[in-house]
Amino acid sequence: MKIWFRLYKDNHLLRDLVVTDDDREKTRTQKVYSSLEEACYALDLEKPFWLDKNKRDFIRHAQTRFTRDNFIESIGFDYLDIRVIEEDL
């Protein structure tokens, strides 16, 4: 599984990162959570909270957007967009 993480501010891409998780022992959910943790570490972010809206979007569209409502600390960007770009077969 490959997930693309993108940070945006004022509709401009600040940083992006692709995280790959090929562990066949993990479930899809485990891969998503571990990839998010890895991306947050690499981008020096706290881990966002998954709200019901994020869960619904991710299940339906394999993508979601984390805004300031998903973080406890203040953030220096408008949103973190995550999108699955390659699923395991």
Side-chain angles (χ1 to χ4, degrees), residues 53-68:
K53 176 192 179 306
N54 300 109
K55 292 175 187 175
R56 282 192 310 271
D57 288 347
F58 201 80
I59 290 168
R60 288 184 188 149
H61 308 292
Q63 68 183 42
T64 193
R65 181 176 289 180
F66 295 109
T67 61
R68 72 181 54 140

Side-chain angles (χ1 to χ4, degrees), residues 69-83:
D69 294 337
N70 298 93
F71 296 89
I72 293 175
E73 298 174 359
S74 63
I75 56 175
F77 54 91
D78 294 332
Y79 60 89
L80 168 64
D81 185 68
I82 71 171
R83 180 179 304 209

Side-chain angles (χ1 to χ4, degrees), residues 24-41:
R24 300 247 181 232
E25 300 297 317
K26 290 183 185 176
T27 65
R28 181 179 193 260
T29 302
Q30 289 171 328
K31 289 179 182 183
V32 171
Y33 286 145
S34 66
S35 296
L36 179 60
E37 188 170 329
E38 183 179 332
C40 286
Y41 181 79

